[in-house]
Amino acid sequence: MTLTTATRRNPPHTETTPITFPSSTQVQYFRALLRRQTKEALLRISRESELRYQLASLRRDQRRQYGGSP
């Protein structure tokens, strides 16, 4: 049986990639995008809860109409 020395599959990085920060226009764009998506999500949530409330009251009225438990 022969012993072999393990070789590293990934050699250590010798050059580092410079860190680049986003430009102010990119930051403004992404902030606006995030704001819009947040507004849309909040509107969707409020619409969904309003629809759930309407559906629950319709079901309640229907149960009352047909003599079920309220």
Side-chain angles (χ1 to χ4, degrees):
M1 188 174 97
T2 58
L3 293 174
T4 56
T5 56
T7 55
R8 284 180 61 163
R9 198 167 284 173
N10 296 326
H13 294 292
T14 51
E15 56 187 63
T16 58
T17 54
I19 299 171
T20 55
F21 293 96
S23 67
S24 61
T25 49
Q26 285 175 319
V27 170
Q28 287 171 352
Y29 169 77
F30 283 115
R31 278 187 183 158
L33 185 67
L34 189 61
R35 248 197 316 273
R36 193 178 77 232
Q37 289 175 343
T38 305
K39 281 181 187 171
E40 288 172 358
L42 288 172
L43 280 171
R44 191 176 64 246
I45 290 167
S46 64
R47 271 198 306 268
E48 287 171 358
S49 61
E50 177 64 28
L51 287 172
R52 270 197 298 274
Y53 176 77
Q54 289 176 359
L55 183 62
S57 50
L58 281 173
R59 285 179 176 158
R60 202 168 37 247
D61 294 345
Q62 199 174 31
R63 279 196 301 267
R64 281 197 197 115
Q65 193 176 1
Y66 295 111
S69 60

